Amino acid sequence: MFTNDIIASFNELETSLYNYISQNSEKVPYMRIRELADETHVSTATILRFCRKLNCEGFSEFKVKLKMYLQENKKTIIKSSQQSIVEFFERTLKGNLEEKIREAANLVIKADTVIFIGIGSSGILAEYGARYFSSLGKFSLYIKDPHFPIHSKLRNNSVTIALSVSGENNFTVTHLNQLKQEGSKIVSITNNKLSTIAKISDVNIAYYVTEEFFEESNVTTQVPVVYILETMAREIHKLNV
């Protein structure tokens, strides 16, 4: 409801009003304009100017919008971890997931260098994947800087494993495109096979779970990614024996 641009436009009195509303959002929709003015020590004119900055004609419209905003946020229900895992098993493990993992493993086993990339929670799992692969005998690197120098000897026979829930993250797409142009084979792990990252990959492993958001954060389960990474690492180890 309060965007960065709107907050930046507030003067000192409007900022103090914003702070009060943020801390008392449950009771403000039931206050009269005079009550809010007394509580915040500002004039009713300041409150009306504040409302207009939020595209509200008056205080009554502002209260309605605030109440709707609070109700909408309360409706956010996060699935249990059991639901997410069951969904993953029902949608994915009945398909060709194991075949795709073996295909990716056969690509990785031939590479001299394995590079993991990702951003946010996918970046954390990319770092975990590099460590897990290395622990099972396939030395791997996690690189989060697209300008990190990778010498030609490392690029010539390399596989890049890209992690992205949406498959559309601009940072990862740019990084992946650079590595692809430099000759690296691409394996991607995404939530669906129709994303940009999936399309530019040599092998894509899609896991298909419902994306979930809480406020501005993507809280989609990452359990399928951990399963795929560990299964792929074990498959590579088996091929090495």
Side-chain angles (χ1 to χ4, degrees), residues 79 81-93 165-166 190-193 206-213 218-225 228:
K79 293 188 299 185
S81 55
Q82 290 92 339
Q83 282 180 291
S84 298
I85 292 170
V86 167
E87 182 182 38
F88 167 58
F89 274 84
E90 286 183 346
R91 290 187 182 181
T92 312
L93 293 187
V165 177
S166 68
T190 62
N191 194 34
N192 71 78
K193 65 179 182 181
Y207 48 92
Y208 302 107
V209 296
T210 303
E211 281 196 62
E212 293 184 276
F213 292 86
N218 189 324
V219 293
T220 305
T221 181
Q222 296 286 282
V223 171
V225 181
I228 291 166

Side-chain angles (χ1 to χ4, degrees), residues 108 113-118 122-144 159-163 189 225-226 229-230 232-233 236:
V108 172
T113 306
V114 180
I115 301 167
F116 279 83
I117 63 171
S122 292
I124 293 169
L125 286 177
E127 188 171 6
Y128 169 74
R131 183 179 181 85
Y132 197 84
F133 273 46
S134 296
S135 297
L136 283 175
K138 190 64 179 180
F139 180 70
S140 306
L141 303 168
Y142 165 59
I143 299 176
K144 58 182 176 182
V159 169
T160 299
I161 300 177
L163 274 57
I189 301 174
V225 181
V226 174
L229 287 172
E230 293 189 1
M232 195 193 310
I236 292 165

Side-chain angles (χ1 to χ4, degrees), residues 100-124:
K100 284 289 184 181
I101 290 175
R102 281 193 295 271
E103 187 180 350
N106 280 312
L107 199 62
V108 172
I109 199 74
K110 299 170 186 174
D112 296 326
T113 306
V114 180
I115 301 167
F116 279 83
I117 63 171
I119 196 75
S121 58
S122 292
I124 293 169

Side-chain angles (χ1 to χ4, degrees), residues 8-145:
S9 73
F10 292 156
N11 60 30
E12 188 175 343
L13 288 176
E14 291 163 351
T15 300
S16 68
L17 184 58
Y18 161 73
N19 289 334
Y20 179 86
I21 293 170
S22 297
Q23 294 165 11
N24 301 274
S25 57
E26 294 292 340
K27 72 176 185 179
V28 170
Y30 304 98
M31 297 173 72
R32 291 192 292 269
I33 189 169
R34 174 53 61 186
E35 291 174 330
L36 181 60
D38 291 342
E39 286 283 337
T40 56
H41 308 292
V42 302
S43 67
T44 55
T46 297
I47 294 174
L48 291 173
R49 187 168 59 248
F50 176 89
C51 293
R52 284 194 291 272
K53 285 190 176 181
L54 290 161
N55 297 316
C56 299
E57 290 185 5
F59 185 58
S60 295
E61 184 180 348
F62 169 75
K63 290 194 296 182
V64 170
K65 284 188 175 181
L66 180 60
K67 190 181 293 186
M68 290 172 62
Y69 173 77
L70 294 172
Q71 288 174 345
E72 185 178 321
N73 278 359
K74 281 182 177 179
K75 288 179 182 177
T76 304
I77 300 173
I78 304 300
K79 293 188 299 185
S80 69
S81 55
Q82 290 92 339
Q83 282 180 291
S84 298
I85 292 170
V86 167
E87 182 182 38
F88 167 58
F89 274 84
E90 286 183 346
R91 290 187 182 181
T92 312
L93 293 187
K94 290 179 180 178
N96 63 342
L97 181 72
E98 300 299 329
E99 180 185 332
K100 284 289 184 181
I101 290 175
R102 281 193 295 271
E103 187 180 350
N106 280 312
L107 199 62
V108 172
I109 199 74
K110 299 170 186 174
D112 296 326
T113 306
V114 180
I115 301 167
F116 279 83
I117 63 171
I119 196 75
S121 58
S122 292
I124 293 169
L125 286 177
E127 188 171 6
Y128 169 74
R131 183 179 181 85
Y132 197 84
F133 273 46
S134 296
S135 297
L136 283 175
K138 190 64 179 180
F139 180 70
S140 306
L141 303 168
Y142 165 59
I143 299 176
K144 58 182 176 182
D145 179 2

Side-chain angles (χ1 to χ4, degrees), residues 197-216:
I197 289 175
K199 288 177 181 177
I200 63 176
S201 302
D202 295 284
V203 178
N204 171 251
I205 304 172
Y207 48 92
Y208 302 107
V209 296
T210 303
E211 281 196 62
E212 293 184 276
F213 292 86
F214 181 74
E215 295 178 354
E216 300 300 321

